[in-house]
Amino acid sequence: MKSKSIKKLYTLHSWVGVITGILLFVIAFTGAVSVFGRPEIKLWANPEIRALAPIDTIKIEQLIEEYSHKVPEHYKEEILVFLPAVRSSTKLFIMFESHHGELVDEAQVSEGEKPKHNPPVAAVYEFDPVTYELTDEKRGLVEELFADSKYDMSEFIVGFHADLHMGRPIGLLTTGVLGLTMMLSIVTGIFIHRKILAQMFTFRPRKSYSLMLNDGHKAIGVWGLLFNSVIAFTGAFLGLAIVVLVPAAAFVSFGGDQEKLIETFTAVPDPIIQNVQQPTAVAQSFDHILTLEDGLEVNTLTIKGYGDATAMMYFGASGGKKMGYQTIIYNGKGEFLKKNTTYQRLDGYAGIILDVMFPLHFGNFGGIFVKIIWTVLGIGTALLPLTGLMLWLERGVNAANPKYSLDTYQRFNRLIVGGCGGIVIATFLLFPSQMFFKYLYPVENIGRALWWPFFGSWLLVLFVASIAPCEKKVAKQLANITAFILLSIFPIDVVVTGLNLFTQWSHGQLVSLGIDVTCFTLGVYLLTAIKKFDGVKNDVETHDVIVKTAQEGA
């Protein structure tokens, strides 16, 4: 490729990184943490479900039967069961739903008019996951019941990674576009670093600051090339699918009817009710699922036609041999019919590709070891734009004829330190904040309360970095604060829950124990890394002298 083309690609690569680098770090770093969002962080955040006994399937069957007599008949059109400690629930939820709303007395309908129904309504019963005692019940419109749902730090961090808490369509569109810009950076990076493979084993952290950034950026780019490409593509797809791809597909194939499109691929059909009473064998079906595959875990249950001879049960499950989410179907007698993934009904490879998008992006397959690998590689993905930004900044400051003033470079450096350092502190601050709002200052909806420490700390760090005279010192202090927060997570967990290392081990709470130990270890490692980093002074000192001289001259 000609040198002029290489130069243009380098310019494109640089500007894409400069414009989107901080946001890419934010998305990638929170994504690395979100890998453990469900169920690992969910279990840590809610000690009452850390060591639950196996699900009592007979008890669940009895509860469904008991409370089915406490709701109107049309509320039994669909029964949903959400199991605790699997994905997002901390309690057992049983919901009786009427898709057609409250029934209307036809005698009150004017002649010539069709009977109308209100929006879907439901009765939701909440049970303690240990004792199975009723703890709460609600009735009302389905959209209102779900809009008022409670959440905690696990949903908070996963939701932030998905759409920056900006909602649809703006949030998803933003993260989707960032996925596309990351793909563009990867492609242009491959072309401008043609000899990068020869340098993939070169890393000189002690020689100079610039060499450390240069070698680190190239090493992360090469060793994480496949992973970064997969994350960028799947992230772009998941972000843009609902906002762009679904409306486009609906326009082409369903006349613009998006609900019809989604129903075609995700809805479960209603059985033809025969009005022949027959007990629905919920417990028998539950127990049989465990014999189908090793590692298969039931998340939800949908029952259509409960108590009728034509009843059907649809179990939502994850794990097992397939990467995608599975639906396992039984009839009312508890006889296994079939199992399929969400998009298995599509012919060819399209269904397979769509099914693996979500688990491939979050590492939700292959168990805990895959998640660990995804998190480590995800941190590398976050460091890729960060090292690129710092390298661009370092070269600009030390250039013989800088493109911009030293003051401009310094302002941008402050933004990098505040934006990237702030999100790291805000993310880890969620751990002690979760325990604070759960035990010391209880609130009804912890997820909403977490907005204050998360965004408040991030904005505070941005402000401090913007007025600090020396960005290097601010970065070092932010690293020390991060280490302190990480070291404090284990002691805080012990103090507020009374569950120490030996107690968690003896009670089989290995997931929460693993998170505590990992955070503590990371805190120790970070303190050690800070001391080692102080030895890399050559270019940093030069940069500080230049900036200081420029400030004195001004």
Side-chain angles (χ1 to χ4, degrees), residues 81-370:
V81 180
F82 299 92
L83 299 181
V86 179
R87 289 191 63 79
S88 59
S89 300
T90 57
K91 303 289 182 68
L92 169 67
F93 290 92
I94 300 178
M95 183 171 80
F96 298 86
E97 181 180 351
S98 170
H99 290 177
H100 303 90
E102 299 291 2
L103 296 179
V104 177
D105 187 355
E106 295 188 12
Q108 298 178 359
V109 179
S110 302
E111 186 176 350
E113 292 184 0
K114 294 182 179 181
K116 297 180 180 179
H117 297 279
N118 292 325
V121 292
V124 181
Y125 297 94
E126 176 186 299
F127 301 91
D128 185 278
V130 178
T131 64
Y132 292 96
E133 293 181 357
L134 181 68
T135 57
D136 193 17
E137 62 178 290
K138 294 180 181 179
R139 292 195 186 193
L141 298 177
V142 171
E143 60 180 20
E144 292 179 355
L145 292 173
F146 280 101
D148 194 34
S149 60
K150 302 172 185 177
Y151 59 102
D152 54 33
M153 66 172 291
S154 63
E155 283 90 4
F156 185 95
I157 193 63
V158 172
F160 180 82
H161 171 69
D163 60 13
L164 301 172
H165 284 316
M166 293 192 295
R168 303 176 183 177
I170 297 175
L172 289 176
L173 186 62
T174 300
T175 54
V177 170
L178 285 172
L180 292 178
T181 60
M182 185 175 176
M183 291 173 63
L184 179 60
S185 295
I186 292 172
V187 172
T188 54
I190 292 173
F191 281 103
I192 65 177
H193 297 299
R194 290 172 295 175
K195 298 180 180 180
I196 196 170
L197 292 178
Q199 301 172 338
M200 61 189 299
F201 294 102
T202 303
F203 190 56
R204 298 158 287 184
R206 294 188 176 276
K207 284 196 172 183
S208 70
Y209 185 64
S210 290
L211 280 176
M212 181 185 70
L213 289 177
N214 186 53
D215 294 344
H217 185 68
K218 291 179 180 179
I220 294 171
V222 174
W223 288 104
L225 179 60
L226 178 60
F227 176 83
N228 295 335
S229 301
V230 169
I231 292 299
F233 177 76
T234 54
F237 178 86
L238 294 174
L240 298 175
I242 295 177
V243 181
V244 178
L245 300 181
V246 170
F251 178 79
V252 172
S253 303
F254 295 88
D257 191 343
Q258 296 184 37
E259 292 185 1
K260 182 68 174 178
L261 170 66
I262 296 173
E263 182 180 352
T264 301
F265 295 111
T266 62
V268 290
D270 294 319
I272 300 176
I273 304 299
Q274 296 180 350
N275 294 316
V276 177
Q277 291 189 355
Q278 175 182 289
T280 304
V282 175
Q284 179 181 329
S285 305
F286 253 118
D287 295 336
H288 183 262
I289 288 179
L290 301 179
T291 67
L292 293 177
E293 289 183 30
D294 292 334
L296 202 60
E297 195 171 47
V298 177
N299 303 309
T300 60
L301 164 62
T302 301
I303 306 176
K304 297 275 193 175
Y306 178 76
D308 191 82
T310 60
M312 298 290 290
M313 290 179 284
Y314 302 86
F315 291 86
S318 57
K321 297 178 181 179
K322 292 187 178 294
M323 288 179 61
Y325 196 76
Q326 298 184 61
T327 300
I328 305 172
I329 305 173
Y330 290 80
N331 62 21
K333 297 179 181 179
E335 298 171 340
F336 170 73
L337 300 180
K338 64 177 180 177
K339 61 178 179 177
N340 55 259
T341 58
T342 303
Y343 298 100
Q344 191 172 338
R345 67 191 72 182
L346 293 177
D347 295 330
Y349 293 101
I352 298 174
I353 293 173
L354 291 174
D355 277 325
V356 303
M357 280 290 176
F358 188 87
L360 197 59
H361 187 74
F362 283 97
N364 291 332
F365 64 95
I368 192 70
F369 292 107
V370 171

